[in-house]
Amino acid sequence: MSRLTPPRCFAASRNHLALAICMATLTPALAQERLDVQEGAASGVLELGATEITNSQLGSTTEGSRSYTTGAMATATKLPMTLRETPQATTVITRQRMDDQGMTSINDAIAATPGVFLSYASGPGRQTYYARGFEIDNLMYDGIPSGYNGVGVGVQPNLAMFDRVEVVRGATGLVTGAGNPSAAVNMVRKRPLADQRVTLTGAAGSWDDYRGEIDASSPLNDSGTLRGRVVTSYRDANSYVDGAEEDHGLFYAITEADLSDFTTLSVGFSHQKDKTNNFWGASMIGLDGRHLDLSRSYNPGSDWENKDQQTNTLFAELRQQLANDWKLQVNADYSDLNALFSGSYQSRFQQPARPLERTVWQAKYDEHKLGLDSFVSGPFEALGRTHELVIGASKRMADTNTHSYSPYVTNWPVDGGKPDFTRTGSGRTVTTQDGVYLTTRLSLADPLKLILGGRLDWYDYDDKESSTADYKVTRNVTRFAGLIYDLDDHHSVYVSYSDIFKPQAEKDRSATPITPISGKNYEVGIKGEYFDGALNASAALFRVDQENRAVAVTGSDRQNCADPNNCYVASGEVRSQGIDLELQGALTENWQLGAGYTYARVHTLKDAANPQNENQRFDTDMPEHLFKLSTVYRFQGPLEKLRVGGNLSWQSRLYNDIALDDGSSYRLKQGAYALTSLMAGYTVNENLDLQLNANNVFDKKYYASISNSIEYGGDTYGAPRNLMLTAKYSF
């Protein structure tokens, strides 16, 4: 094959067609994708925006596309494939969708993603994410996995610096290594634009919620081979909860340089600072297990509470075009996080009277994370057909220092004021994961493709304070296989399989780490692609079996344990199975839609310590059914400056069986509910755009999370009806 020279982008490009070609070349796509764009432009069939759906060839970058879908993604296998070609359930939250719904943080993106549940069970400011019944414990940044712990020091990334959020549901060990079989969430950063553009954004909403943002991009030399972009954002907001406040700041900068016709280097930095005084405590329930039906404005916390964290990140990417359409890509990501948590929550631990008191706590964290990923990819010939191959290696490291304070007590007076916290000690843990991987897409026949992948990992957890807590896994193998058959020009059926791998810290009877969690992920489905990829549809059936979960040894068996207080067996098994339906993209040239329905039944297959749980729901305070829809319609003719849209989300009931002091139980519920939001936007002129978002327009009163005990608070209300007005000025 001949070597492809990518087209050069010039700052002087003035017509839209040239700009489209330029933007296409700036995406990290395969050389063949670039060639397709060039050929389309030469034939005069390439169209911008949504003027002609039949010719709107989408790339991977979503900014400026006005689309609710993307043309290519590589999150699932490292191979750049369309959604139709990916043998797993996938969703892309595009830049347009973020803007239409007024999303500002990953929490907003998670709440809008089909099949993913945003949980506040650990507190109103300690969000966790679930997919197919399992917690999402990894976030990815430009394809590099990074561990996520929403209960601890997990950072909710600011969406102002991202082009899109790619979500692949199910087991994703081929790209993440260790992790739960939930989903891979890949945050793809914004890149510099080919032309000079500045956007100023101001927003004002209910409860004194104010946000300002500057997004500036420009070529940095006359030839356009050096480009830069800066995004800065600040948000200051009160809340519907009395006295609750939050502040969010962001600075993001990236420089991209074409070092040659075949080499592109990107280097960037981001600083994110987040602060809130409402993060830990939730409302109590009664001693009878029932909701207290408090006001949504009631604040169960203290006025001295504080969650203050900041993250600095350095990242770089090198893309090298090689001979014969092969390429080399190297990514590096280093982050430094500092956090101070001071909090309390209402509790009733003291029996038998159970007076209302507070549990108080403070901790400081310093965390350093490193991620490296390098791979080569390209086509090869075998048996008269062209195939694709990816070979790569990766490294992850998390170095965490935890500084503890006293007092940490459960009987602090409700109105006792802020304790005089004193630092008492520190702990340090270092987690590393090294891996090598290989993925190939084999063209068995024109309509039949086989994807095979394998990953070899070395995992090590090192507790610097206690060697007995260390554990490691050597040369763990993760396998992946997917078979895709094209039924016709628009539809494909697929089947896929993936291994599950997650180390565990728990110890067995001899005080050695128990076997890592393992399992199998199966999925079969059909996908449709219409209007040259502008509209994607999918339907899938899935089953996830997670085995070797740690189960505590109880009763007289604990006498045979080296450490009776930390004694487990790897015998727990959980199964998740269900259906996943999704539609995303353009229904007409002016109508974008993103909609999905997921049913996931998660139940315990085996639990030796608690046999009463077998064949029962694994986690009852997560919904089994989720439906999410978002849409926007742009008028034409006399109303062409106007657009309207909205989103609808519905979920099935939550419940917990609350243990009461008299030995009985009470089933605490949050029934099924739906939330409706509306949006209207008006383009005043080529520079100014106005948009009004009305959220929870019917003012539904509901619990976003519910308690699971009478001993501590767990009820958290969702937000009442609220408005946000956004103005954007671009030049």
Side-chain angles (χ1 to χ4, degrees), residues 62 82 114 372 643:
T62 68
T82 66
L372 300 171
R643 63 188 184 278

Side-chain angles (χ1 to χ4, degrees), residues 26-103:
L26 296 180
T27 62
L30 290 175
Q32 185 60 48
E33 292 182 1
R34 298 183 181 138
L35 183 60
D36 291 341
V37 174
Q38 289 179 301
E39 292 174 349
S43 64
V45 297
L46 184 65
E47 299 285 346
L48 272 186
T51 56
E52 287 290 336
I53 293 180
T54 56
N55 292 317
S56 60
Q57 296 285 345
L58 295 173
S60 56
T61 300
T62 68
E63 185 179 14
S65 70
R66 290 189 174 182
S67 177
Y68 276 24
T69 192
T70 186
M73 61 178 293
T75 300
T77 64
K78 291 290 185 179
L79 291 166
M81 301 183 295
T82 66
L83 301 189
R84 179 186 170 188
E85 295 170 331
T86 304
Q88 287 181 270
T90 58
T91 299
V92 178
I93 304 297
T94 65
R95 186 69 252 172
Q96 186 65 53
R97 196 165 171 182
M98 298 180 202
D99 293 340
D100 288 345
Q101 294 185 234
M103 301 181 187

Side-chain angles (χ1 to χ4, degrees), residues 364-368 399-403 426-429 465:
K364 185 176 184 299
Y365 301 92
D366 301 304
E367 187 173 74
H368 314 282
D399 187 340
T400 303
N401 291 273
T402 303
H403 311 288
S426 298
R428 181 188 174 203
T429 62
E465 307 302 317

Side-chain angles (χ1 to χ4, degrees), residues 530-611:
Y530 314 98
F531 310 128
D532 290 332
L535 178 66
N536 289 277
S538 64
L541 298 173
F542 62 85
R543 192 181 86 182
V544 182
D545 288 335
Q546 196 183 52
E547 304 167 351
N548 299 330
R549 295 177 62 93
V551 175
V553 175
T554 59
S556 60
D557 288 347
R558 296 176 61 187
Q559 299 176 2
N560 300 318
C561 298
D563 183 1
N565 296 318
N566 184 15
C567 188
Y568 295 81
V569 292
S571 64
E573 295 185 18
V574 174
R575 171 171 292 176
S576 171
Q577 56 190 0
I579 185 172
D580 206 319
L581 308 174
E582 188 163 8
L583 183 68
Q584 50 186 322
L587 296 178
T588 72
E589 62 185 73
N590 305 312
W591 186 8
Q592 295 287 333
L593 178 75
Y597 164 77
T598 301
Y599 167 71
R601 182 178 184 268
V602 189
H603 60 288
T604 301
L605 294 181
K606 184 187 294 185
D607 186 341
N610 303 281

Side-chain angles (χ1 to χ4, degrees), residues 425-640:
S426 298
R428 181 188 174 203
T429 62
V430 180
T431 305
T432 58
Q433 179 179 309
D434 301 298
V436 293
Y437 56 87
L438 182 149
T439 307
T440 184
R441 178 163 60 172
L442 303 174
S443 178
L444 305 182
D446 287 343
L448 185 63
K449 304 292 190 298
L450 175 64
I451 299 175
L452 297 175
R455 183 183 180 98
L456 192 63
D457 281 299
W458 290 259
Y459 186 97
D460 184 84
Y461 176 86
D462 183 8
D463 189 328
K464 299 299 184 180
E465 307 302 317
S466 172
S467 60
T468 61
D470 297 347
Y471 57 94
K472 66 174 56 180
V473 180
T474 303
R475 293 186 300 275
N476 181 82
V477 178
T478 301
R479 299 163 298 175
F480 177 88
L483 189 66
I484 306 99
Y485 181 80
D486 296 337
L487 298 175
D488 53 36
D489 291 341
H490 301 289
H491 302 91
S492 302
V493 292
Y494 71 90
V495 58
S496 65
Y497 166 86
S498 181
D499 287 332
I500 297 167
F501 160 61
K502 183 176 176 63
Q504 303 182 87
E506 291 81 0
K507 303 299 178 63
D508 62 13
R509 288 183 173 89
S510 62
T512 59
I514 64 175
T515 303
I517 293 174
S518 61
K520 302 174 177 62
N521 185 111
Y522 305 94
E523 187 167 316
V524 59
I526 182 171
K527 292 193 175 186
E529 182 183 80
Y530 314 98
F531 310 128
D532 290 332
L535 178 66
N536 289 277
S538 64
L541 298 173
F542 62 85
R543 192 181 86 182
V544 182
D545 288 335
Q546 196 183 52
E547 304 167 351
N548 299 330
R549 295 177 62 93
V551 175
V553 175
T554 59
S556 60
D557 288 347
R558 296 176 61 187
Q559 299 176 2
N560 300 318
C561 298
D563 183 1
N565 296 318
N566 184 15
C567 188
Y568 295 81
V569 292
S571 64
E573 295 185 18
V574 174
R575 171 171 292 176
S576 171
Q577 56 190 0
I579 185 172
D580 206 319
L581 308 174
E582 188 163 8
L583 183 68
Q584 50 186 322
L587 296 178
T588 72
E589 62 185 73
N590 305 312
W591 186 8
Q592 295 287 333
L593 178 75
Y597 164 77
T598 301
Y599 167 71
R601 182 178 184 268
V602 189
H603 60 288
T604 301
L605 294 181
K606 184 187 294 185
D607 186 341
N610 303 281
Q612 70 276 10
N613 294 334
E614 296 181 359
N615 296 317
Q616 301 297 314
R617 285 183 61 177
F618 176 61
D619 196 342
T620 60
D621 59 4
M622 284 191 295
E624 288 190 326
H625 302 265
L626 286 171
F627 174 77
K628 301 178 182 181
L629 178 150
S630 58
T631 186
V632 64
Y633 183 81
R634 300 177 183 275
F635 290 91
Q636 298 296 296
L639 299 176
E640 65 181 2

Side-chain angles (χ1 to χ4, degrees), residues 162-459:
F162 296 104
D163 173 78
R164 62 194 181 277
V165 180
E166 300 176 347
V167 181
V168 180
R169 291 182 290 282
T172 57
L174 184 62
V175 292
T176 62
N180 287 325
S182 48
V185 180
N186 187 21
M187 317 290 294
V188 183
R189 297 181 177 97
K190 289 179 176 177
R191 301 289 177 143
L193 303 177
D195 61 342
Q196 181 173 303
R197 186 173 303 175
V198 178
T199 300
L200 308 178
T201 302
S206 304
W207 312 301
D208 296 323
D209 189 348
Y210 302 105
R211 180 172 62 91
E213 182 181 313
I214 301 173
D215 187 341
S217 181
S218 176
L220 302 179
N221 60 5
D222 293 337
S223 63
T225 58
L226 183 64
R227 303 167 293 277
R229 188 168 190 170
V230 173
V231 179
T232 182
S233 171
Y234 182 75
R235 180 186 178 198
D236 182 10
N238 294 331
S239 172
Y240 61 94
V241 177
D242 290 338
E245 302 175 348
E246 56 183 303
D247 301 297
H248 305 278
L250 171 71
F251 176 81
Y252 169 76
I254 181 173
T255 300
E256 189 172 70
D258 297 331
L259 303 181
S260 73
D261 290 343
F262 306 99
T263 309
T264 300
L265 175 66
S266 301
V267 179
F269 168 79
S270 67
H271 170 79
Q272 183 174 330
K273 185 175 178 61
D274 304 280
K275 187 175 182 179
T276 181
N277 63 355
N278 181 38
F279 74 98
W280 201 15
S283 296
M284 300 290 294
I285 56 175
L287 292 174
D288 58 0
R290 290 172 167 79
H291 294 299
L292 295 178
D293 293 325
L294 302 168
S295 168
R296 286 183 285 189
S297 63
Y298 173 70
N299 189 344
S302 316
D303 58 7
W304 52 266
E305 292 186 35
N306 181 56
K307 178 182 180 182
D308 191 350
Q309 58 185 20
Q310 61 180 8
T311 304
N312 296 309
T313 302
L314 288 169
F315 61 93
E317 179 183 277
L318 176 69
R319 301 191 302 273
Q320 176 69 48
Q321 195 68 41
L322 306 175
N324 300 319
D325 289 338
W326 276 71
K327 72 173 185 179
L328 166 69
Q329 183 167 317
V330 180
N331 288 81
D333 196 288
Y334 175 81
S335 64
D336 183 270
L337 182 146
N338 299 287
L340 177 65
F341 296 172
S342 304
S344 75
Y345 62 85
Q346 295 179 355
S347 54
R348 290 190 291 237
F349 290 112
Q350 313 306 316
Q351 299 190 62
R354 292 200 180 276
L356 184 62
E357 298 170 313
R358 288 192 182 276
T359 295
V360 298
W361 162 83
Q362 179 169 290
K364 185 176 184 299
Y365 301 92
D366 301 304
E367 187 173 74
H368 314 282
K369 289 185 177 182
L370 173 68
L372 300 171
D373 185 76
S374 177
F375 66 92
V376 292
S377 63
F380 67 95
E381 301 288 335
L383 301 176
R385 305 190 69 85
T386 301
H387 317 279
E388 296 168 83
L389 181 66
V390 177
I391 304 173
S394 66
K395 182 180 183 65
R396 296 168 58 183
M397 185 274 292
D399 187 340
T400 303
N401 291 273
T402 303
H403 311 288
S404 54
Y405 293 76
S406 68
Y408 180 15
V409 296
T410 62
N411 60 346
W412 194 260
V414 172
D415 55 355
K418 183 178 181 179
D420 184 15
F421 288 112
T422 304
R423 183 168 166 175
T424 56
S426 298
R428 181 188 174 203
T429 62
V430 180
T431 305
T432 58
Q433 179 179 309
D434 301 298
V436 293
Y437 56 87
L438 182 149
T439 307
T440 184
R441 178 163 60 172
L442 303 174
S443 178
L444 305 182
D446 287 343
L448 185 63
K449 304 292 190 298
L450 175 64
I451 299 175
L452 297 175
R455 183 183 180 98
L456 192 63
D457 281 299
W458 290 259
Y459 186 97

